[in-house]
Amino acid sequence: MAEIKDPENTILMELKGGTVTIQLLPDVAPKHVERMKELARSGQYDNVAFHRVIDGFMAQTGDVQHGDMEDGFNIRMAGTGGSDLPNLPAEFSKVPHARGSLGAARSANPDSANSQFFINFKDNDFLNGQYTVYGQVISGMEHVDAITKGEPPANPDRMISVKVAADA
């Protein structure tokens, strides 16, 4: 496991294969970082499906409205919802969409990010400056690579639990 330097800005995401440790970037995208911590602390990310997983591109999750596999799960609706909190303004930066980076999922409107996010399987430079980057996987990327692929996957994987390291 990676050394955690800033537990308040580190996410521990439990997947079927093990723990994924994500270093959040509060200096780059403070509103997105705060939102992720708020949703993690309230348990809203627990049991949420990876509803869109494209081999060689990215794994998307975080639909707390339709993606909870333990509460009202609907794979056909997963990816269309968000939290009951307001959408976030874009926080674009020079941080690249590199392998293991966390990007905010959104609609065509740059200021429509809410709870959904994706983890890049590879460097996806064509996304740079168009989607907010607010975290980086620092260990456990092999567990992200093992997420069941599909749009949507026939038997989706889920985030078993998501915690702020300071609370774990």
Side-chain angles (χ1 to χ4, degrees):
M1 185 131 119
E3 181 188 350
I4 296 173
K5 294 178 173 65
D6 181 2
E8 179 56 31
N9 289 298
T10 303
I11 293 290
L12 301 174
M13 178 188 298
E14 200 61 40
L15 301 183
K16 68 180 179 197
T19 304
V20 178
T21 306
I22 301 167
Q23 180 63 58
L24 297 175
L25 305 172
D27 297 344
V28 173
K31 291 177 175 65
H32 285 76
V33 166
E34 281 308 311
R35 175 65 51 85
M36 180 163 226
K37 293 191 302 187
E38 182 176 356
L39 293 172
R41 285 186 160 126
S42 65
Q44 291 186 66
Y45 280 137
D46 296 353
N47 293 304
V48 172
F50 283 90
H51 64 270
R52 183 171 176 246
V53 185
I54 304 171
D55 196 22
F57 179 34
M58 58 90 216
Q60 186 172 335
T61 185
D63 183 344
V64 300
Q65 183 177 3
H66 301 296
D68 185 338
M69 295 178 73
E70 301 292 319
D71 182 21
F73 180 64
N74 181 340
I75 191 64
R76 288 183 299 286
M77 292 297 292
T80 64
S83 72
D84 55 7
L85 300 167
N87 286 345
L88 296 167
E91 295 179 291
F92 298 154
S93 70
K94 299 284 188 209
V95 177
H97 281 268
R99 174 170 163 76
S101 61
L102 196 75
R106 60 171 176 79
S107 71
N109 176 350
D111 298 325
S112 63
N114 188 292
S115 65
Q116 293 187 48
F117 62 91
F118 57 90
I119 301 172
N120 289 289
F121 287 131
K122 67 177 190 74
D123 293 355
N124 289 312
D125 293 334
F126 67 95
L127 299 174
N128 292 350
Q130 298 180 56
Y131 291 83
T132 300
V133 176
Y134 62 101
Q136 178 68 44
V137 173
I138 57 172
S139 74
M141 192 61 195
E142 67 275 15
H143 307 308
V144 176
D145 290 334
I147 295 168
T148 302
K149 311 299 186 277
E151 293 184 77
N155 296 296
D157 285 324
R158 68 181 80 187
M159 297 183 286
I160 296 165
S161 72
V162 179
K163 294 183 172 45
V164 178
D167 304 336

